[in-house]
């Protein structure tokens, strides 16, 4: 009898733990409507092509970028870019060419350790417009100079 109770506990603990994982949601990225953003070519840019946009265009880039970030990156990198420690705080990325280079590397390659996917390859799910709008939004909340 006692033994069974112990097992019940174990099952409950396992159920709670897997619920915790499920609560983070599926890792499948959400598609982003980028039809209102300046069009980019198929080739990957080497620097953020949206960085110097001004006025309404910039506003639209930031609007899409913030929402795309919250849908696709926030569950690991934190809401509003404030990392809870699961993944790096992206407000710390350099806002210049060096940051762009590292950003491109990561969104193209994701992060795999010992065969486990820590971050999916984002370029397989999001287009260049979506990813640069996210980058532009991240620069706008950056903690770097
Ligand atoms: C499933 C979790 C997950 C999701 C979703 C995710 N990432 Fe990541 N990301 C990580 C982890 C973990 C690392 C750290 C990898 C390492 O250092 O090995 C990382 C690293 C990065 C880095 C490098 C940061 C640094 O300081 O080294 C960038 C840039 C990045 N992610 C961008 C993004 C963007 C943009 C999105 C959304 C389009 C995204 N990530 C979605 C888990 C995730």
């Amino acid at each position: 009898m006692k033994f069974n109770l112990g097992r019940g506990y174990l099952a409950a603990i396992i159920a709670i733990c897997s619920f915790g994982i499920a609560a983070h949601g599926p890792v499948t990225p959400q598609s982003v409507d980028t039809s209102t953003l300046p069009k980019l070519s198929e080739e990957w840019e080497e620097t953020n092509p949206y960085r110097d946009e001004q006025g309404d265009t910039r506003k639209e880039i930031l609007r899409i970028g913030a929402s795309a970030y919250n849908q696709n990156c926030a569950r690991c990198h934190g809401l509003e870019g404030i990392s809870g420690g699961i993944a790096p705080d992206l407000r710390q990325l350099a806002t210049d060419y060096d940051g762009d280079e590292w950003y491109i590397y990561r969104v193209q390659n994701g992060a795999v350790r010992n065969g486990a996917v820590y971050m999916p390859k984002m370029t397989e799910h999001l287009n260049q417009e979506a990813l640069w709008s996210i980058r532009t939004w991240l620069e706008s909340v950056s903690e770097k100079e």
Side-chain angles (χ1 to χ4, degrees), residues 72-73 76-77 87-88 90 93 102-103 106 111 113 118-119 122:
N72 293 287
C73 321
C76 296
H77 289 283
L90 298 181
L93 272 184
W102 189 221
Y103 181 84
R106 269 298 174 225
R113 266 182 252 149
Y118 283 83
M119 173 172 155
M122 288 300 172

Side-chain angles (χ1 to χ4, degrees), residues 27 29 68-69 71-77 86-90 92-93 99 102-107 110-113 117-120 122 126 131 134-135 138:
V27 178
Y69 174 89
Q71 278 177 26
N72 293 287
C73 321
R75 67 172 166 276
C76 296
H77 289 283
I86 304 173
D89 193 306
L90 298 181
Q92 301 295 333
L93 272 184
W102 189 221
Y103 181 84
I104 294 168
Y105 178 82
R106 269 298 174 225
V107 297
V112 179
R113 266 182 252 149
V117 177
Y118 283 83
M119 173 172 155
M122 288 300 172
L126 298 176
L131 284 164
I134 293 173
R135 167 76 172 143
L138 282 168

Side-chain angles (χ1 to χ4, degrees), residues 55-134:
D56 285 349
T57 310
R58 180 170 171 81
K59 265 195 213 148
E60 183 62 4
I61 291 167
L62 293 178
R63 186 182 73 80
I64 305 258
S67 122
Y69 174 89
N70 280 323
Q71 278 177 26
N72 293 287
C73 321
R75 67 172 166 276
C76 296
H77 289 283
L79 278 176
E80 304 297 321
I82 304 165
S83 173
I86 304 173
D89 193 306
L90 298 181
R91 296 171 304 161
Q92 301 295 333
L93 272 184
T95 56
D96 57 6
Y97 178 75
D98 287 345
D100 287 344
E101 216 182 3
W102 189 221
Y103 181 84
I104 294 168
Y105 178 82
R106 269 298 174 225
V107 297
Q108 288 182 341
N109 295 285
V112 179
R113 266 182 252 149
N114 302 323
V117 177
Y118 283 83
M119 173 172 155
K121 291 181 182 164
M122 288 300 172
T123 47
E124 289 179 359
H125 308 281
L126 298 176
N127 64 14
Q128 176 159 220
E129 284 85 351
L131 284 164
W132 284 123
S133 73
I134 293 173

